[in-house]
Amino acid sequence: MLDPWYPPPGEYYVPLSEAVHYPLRQGDLVGPVTIDGRATPIVQVVHPTCELGKGQVDRIQVCAVEELSRLDDDFTRSCVVAGMRETGGSFRVAFAHTFFLPGIHAHDEGMYGNFRRRYLVDRAEVCLENRSAALTHDARVFFIRRWIYFRFRILLSLNQVRGLEADRIRADRAFEGPRPAWADDTNHAP
Amino acid sequence: MSNSTDLNLETFPYGKFRAEYRHIIDGHASQPFALGPHGRPEVVVVPSQLYQGMVDQCRRLEEMSRTIPILLTAAQAGVAFPSDSLAALGYRPQFDATRLANFVSHLALGATHDEEGQPLPESHIPLTHEPVEEDDLELTYRDSIVGA
């Protein structure tokens, strides 16, 4: 399979000026939120998007976002950034429980979502006003692919995930905000 | 009588080998030798352990031939691509997350093996999303406080 694990770092986040048009979705970064009574600067929403608006959902599933600088050494950091590593003539998945995230601002260091460290956060804190960054539709495809691999050890190609996501968006009558070009109603070949 | 050849291998005539094979083999427990007439090697005899090592090295080279082009590209670009092979060669460029992220995102390169080294299965099943209408029903609990 020839698909990289991540999009180019410049294509992760919706520009701040446009983010207001995008509702909160899975993969977005929010913070600060309260976890175990302590303020946590930033977390990543892993809760299914369609559940976020339901009145009975009072706690939202998120995963920890950690800074690359917290890791022991540069080799470990490079494994997280690439999502894989070469060893013995093969390219192995590296740290499947991580999802690399570039810094939100140009001067920020890189980060990663840690799928092993998941929490439930009060929904009042997981809201648009508290959103730090909105994932682009393209980046969300990469996120979903990595999430599926981590949760079920099922490896889909980017095209498969993008195709499924495009079909889902086309069928979603409640879809809000700008659509990705590959899920345009007139474009059925993602 | 034996000769050294261009292969730099001791070469035994067939007749001598037939008569003294046990002695010759025991004397070459860890190195190959050749057989052939007049010191011209026709056959090379390799101890089994050495042969297994050669097979392993060939397999490793074959595997490396698939990854080497990518690793060379990484080395030329000066990015810190995580590679045991490059590290073994002493290649340790400065880590720059953005440069590395840009590099890997533009490569037609994906993982071939899982974290434990097992080949990754690849789905060839054509997938189509089937639109379904989700019900709005929510779970209700017997011990819920009435009116809460």
Side-chain angles (χ1 to χ4, degrees), chain B residues 60-125:
Chain B
R60 184 169 160 72
L61 273 177
E62 192 183 322
E63 289 171 349
M64 290 288 288
S65 69
R66 292 195 290 267
T67 56
I68 283 291
I70 301 290
L71 301 183
L72 282 176
T73 309
Q76 283 172 340
V79 296
F81 186 83
S83 160
D84 291 346
S85 300
L86 287 178
L89 294 172
Y91 177 76
R92 289 182 182 82
Q94 193 172 6
F95 172 74
D96 182 320
T98 305
R99 285 190 68 194
L100 175 59
N102 259 314
F103 176 79
V104 293
S105 67
H106 287 102
L107 276 180
L109 166 66
T112 55
H113 292 67
D114 67 15
E115 288 172 286
E116 286 76 40
Q118 298 300 314
L120 281 172
E122 190 174 337
S123 170
H124 297 289
I125 301 167

Side-chain angles (χ1 to χ4, degrees), chain A:
Chain A
M1 191 168 291
L2 299 176
D3 294 329
W5 279 114
Y6 299 115
E11 297 175 15
Y12 269 70
Y13 307 123
V14 175
L16 205 56
S17 58
E18 300 168 29
V20 66
H21 303 298
Y22 289 75
L24 196 69
R25 289 195 169 102
Q26 187 183 49
D28 286 357
L29 305 180
V30 296
V33 298
T34 309
I35 293 175
D36 297 334
R38 292 193 307 187
T40 303
I42 191 165
V43 293
Q44 186 169 31
V45 177
V46 296
H47 208 109
T49 299
C50 63
E51 285 256 311
L52 295 175
K54 291 185 176 176
Q56 291 221 1
V57 178
D58 54 359
R59 309 271 282 166
I60 304 295
Q61 299 166 23
V62 301
C63 75
V65 170
E66 298 164 357
E67 291 180 358
L68 285 175
S69 57
R70 279 191 60 197
L71 296 171
D72 256 353
D73 54 71
D74 283 348
F75 189 81
T76 306
R77 281 184 270 275
S78 65
C79 287
V80 170
V81 173
M84 62 182 170
R85 71 182 178 112
E86 182 276 337
T87 183
S90 64
F91 292 112
R92 289 191 187 182
V93 177
F95 304 120
H97 62 286
T98 63
F99 182 78
F100 170 64
L101 295 161
I104 297 172
H105 308 294
H107 59 278
D108 287 348
E109 291 189 31
M111 313 172 285
Y112 58 95
N114 186 337
F115 294 158
R116 284 184 187 158
R117 292 183 55 208
R118 293 190 304 281
Y119 305 95
L120 290 171
V121 172
D122 195 292
R123 74 170 298 146
E125 294 188 307
V126 183
C127 57
L128 275 182
E129 294 71 31
N130 212 19
R131 183 167 64 186
S132 309
L135 228 54
T136 63
H137 290 302
D138 283 318
R140 187 168 296 98
V141 170
F142 286 85
F143 171 84
I144 293 169
R145 180 171 181 247
R146 187 86 172 174
W147 178 250
I148 290 173
Y149 182 74
F150 170 69
R151 298 292 289 177
F152 310 107
R153 291 301 191 264
I154 292 174
L155 181 66
L156 300 175
S157 71
L158 268 179
N159 264 339
Q160 285 175 313
V161 178
R162 193 181 293 113
L164 288 169
E165 181 71 345
D167 287 342
R168 188 194 63 75
I169 290 173
R170 286 191 201 103
D172 183 359
R173 284 178 289 179
F175 187 86
E176 292 178 39
R179 283 170 179 264
W182 38 262
D184 194 308
D185 279 339
T186 58
N187 178 6
H188 285 257

